[in-house]
Amino acid sequence: MAEDSWIAVDAMGGDEGLAVMLAGVAQARRRNPGLRFLLVGDETAIRAGLQSHPNLTAASEVVHAPELVGSSDKPSQAIRRARTTSMGIAIDLVKKGRAAAAVSSGNTGALMAMAKLALRTMPGIDRPALAALLPSLGENDLVMLDLGANAECDARNLVQFAVMGAAYARAVLDLESPRVALLNIGTEDMKGIDSVRDAAAAIRASTHLPLTFTGYIEGDRLSRGEVDVVVCDGFSGNIALKTAEGTARFVADLLKRAFRSSVRSKIGFLISKPATDLLRHHLDPNNHNGAIFLGLNGLVVKSHGGANAAGVSNAIEVAAKLVRNNLTHRIAEDLAAIEAKAA
Amino acid sequence: MAEDSWIAVDAMGGDEGLAVMLAGVAQARRRNPGLRFLLVGDETAIRAGLQSHPNLTAASEVVHAPELVGSSDKPSQAIRRARTTSMGIAIDLVKKGRAAAAVSSGNTGALMAMAKLALRTMPGIDRPALAALLPSLGENDLVMLDLGANAECDARNLVQFAVMGAAYARAVLDLESPRVALLNIGTEDMKGIDSVRDAAAAIRASTHLPLTFTGYIEGDRLSRGEVDVVVCDGFSGNIALKTAEGTARFVADLLKRAFRSSVRSKIGFLISKPATDLLRHHLDPNNHNGAIFLGLNGLVVKSHGGANAAGVSNAIEVAAKLVRNNLTHRIAEDLAAIEAKAA
């Protein structure tokens, strides 16, 4: 990444407030001294907040935005205020080329709608998809998409998601021909719904794609490290993602209860605390924060609304990594190559 | 339950073979001396297997079936062999009133199709749904449906699932007005897909239902104990269920790795082993085995294909509990009462 890569940050989005956003940006800056930031939001509040972050102040410019997008604003409402809200202005900075990427912890639906309207989808892509890296037992993380941008998808959307997901895995995970699977409720050909079956047939028929199609995958094998990219509609993808988060927390809670169940297990807990701390670190959603809208002419990263400073910092580092890997360009190249081969 | 309640067992279904099925039935019998079994399958093989289970032999009759349903047989193929397969004959024993319930570890799609054809859906129910009890942090388990019987559902199906799920929770969990939620990808009214939004509106408008509708629930809160019944289509329900299973195993695997990471944590592990064993017991899917097809004129319980003997035993105990609680009758009563109030 060029030394002067700028990242636009919607400083007002997220449930945790401006102070957490700034602390997160400051943390990312400490770990990546080459980064520079356009902090978008209420100028007075941001300048006041920056007082505690001299290191960040030196690497930032403040871009004033008089308004913000609320967490319950409808996408249609948000779009009308694209020019005055911190989210809309952060995206616009990417459109104008002043920032290499935008990061927001705000309302997902509004972010998706605004980003799509301002940046437009790439040629060959009908709808952008929300993708993220999830932990797995394999050698690399798992790319999963769509995680909630499109509640309903047809086969054509799913095929495009497969191509974009594979490009993402090639760029970020350095895999030559990522193993791609479609999420389904069985592994036999006849299982599932039409859109998934039709997408499988289309991907199988497209032997020129730079990916290795492995067929269907069920929810219980997502984290086994057997595939690199999992493709699904945004409804089931969001449910799978959140169920995985909830289950990890559930197991951790049960473990806590179990450790408290006797003096003996309390002692065992204290002795093995470094091990369980490692586990907690591995499972903390903040350490996997930062989902990206794939398929747009520009990088927009969605940070979890409830992310803490470490989570915000991770989302910014995801953005920085994608800028460094020139993701948008590489997806466009893949799409062009596919079109050329298909022609 | 009457002392002479008979349960029909498809002894040939399941990936683990006849020996595991018989061991599971014998285990259930030891814990429930009132139960009697119709063991359906290859008579010679069953009689040979029974040699090692004298206790079960005394409480069983063998019903010969010359064929079995394969794990990859299409439902349409299976239906044509309803009279000759162990699965089809087990269901038929329920239809004829010779058994109070049927239990099978075989092919889910075939079991659903055969059960629906033989037993028919209750008046007021268009499609049966697969329901199971899942572990939660709350005071009782969670009823979740549909877990895969219907990949696609409309609002009307979801409303019927809500009524049946509530009846199931009333019968099995002893709750007067179970808290029912629809699985969705957000909690705001506008979130999700049409079928879910329309079902929410319909349930909200039906104030006479014997349930407390709590709106939408997201995947990350399924196990928090905040609701008693979660309703969804079979595609996302199956994905949520399997993702939860996979994540629990993933966390357990990480924990194992963490405990092995140093001598200190190995010692901690040995000391806290009773606590982690408790956790393993709680998370073992075999301890939650036994899903039921709700909405049929008869009880059919689906045991996991890969269940071990303890799992099979649990599925049989689920069937016995539903027989004891007269579930089919109670759902029919609830449906009749709803219709009467609506009229």
Side-chain angles (χ1 to χ4, degrees), chain A residues 71-75 107 109 135-138 148 150-152 183-186 188 190-194 196-197 218-224 233-255 257-259 261 264-265 267-276 278-279 282-283, chain B residues 71-75 107 109 135-138 148 150-152 183-186 188 190-194 196-197 218-224 233-255 257-259 261 264-265 267-276 278-279 282-283:
Chain A
S71 63
S72 58
D73 287 0
K74 286 189 187 172
N107 181 330
S136 92
L137 292 174
N150 311 282
E152 279 165 299
L183 185 61
N184 201 345
I185 59 172
E188 300 88 359
M190 60 172 184
K191 284 291 168 85
I193 52 182
D194 285 345
V196 174
R197 283 190 296 254
E218 294 188 75
D220 56 345
R221 306 209 65 82
L222 289 176
S223 49
R224 306 314 290 177
D233 67 84
F235 191 79
S236 44
N238 188 278
I239 284 171
L241 175 73
K242 289 192 177 151
T243 301
E245 281 175 18
T247 305
R249 204 167 66 237
F250 173 62
V251 176
D253 288 351
L254 287 181
L255 193 65
R257 275 193 195 176
F259 275 133
S261 62
R264 174 177 167 171
S265 57
I267 294 168
F269 172 74
L270 287 174
I271 293 173
S272 49
K273 203 165 173 306
T276 51
L278 200 73
L279 177 72
H282 198 95
L283 292 176
Chain B
S71 62
S72 58
D73 287 0
K74 286 190 186 170
N107 181 328
S136 92
L137 293 172
N150 311 280
E152 280 166 299
L183 185 60
N184 201 345
I185 60 172
E188 300 88 358
M190 59 171 183
K191 284 291 169 83
I193 51 181
D194 285 345
V196 174
R197 283 190 296 256
E218 294 188 74
D220 56 345
R221 306 208 67 79
L222 289 176
S223 50
R224 307 312 290 176
D233 66 83
F235 191 78
S236 44
N238 187 278
I239 284 171
L241 175 73
K242 289 194 177 148
T243 300
E245 281 176 18
T247 306
R249 204 169 63 235
F250 174 62
V251 176
D253 287 350
L254 287 180
L255 193 65
R257 276 193 195 176
F259 274 132
S261 62
R264 176 176 165 169
S265 57
I267 293 169
F269 171 73
L270 287 175
I271 293 175
S272 48
K273 202 165 175 304
T276 51
L278 200 73
L279 176 71
H282 198 95
L283 292 176

Side-chain angles (χ1 to χ4, degrees), chain A residues 6 14 44 71 73 119 123 125-126 140 160 182 191 196 205 222 243 247 254 274-275 297 312 335:
Chain A
W6 291 84
T44 315
S71 63
D73 287 0
L119 301 173
I125 299 296
D126 297 317
N140 49 261
Q160 293 172 3
L182 285 161
K191 284 291 168 85
V196 174
L222 289 176
T243 301
T247 305
L254 287 181
N297 298 303
V312 171
L335 290 170

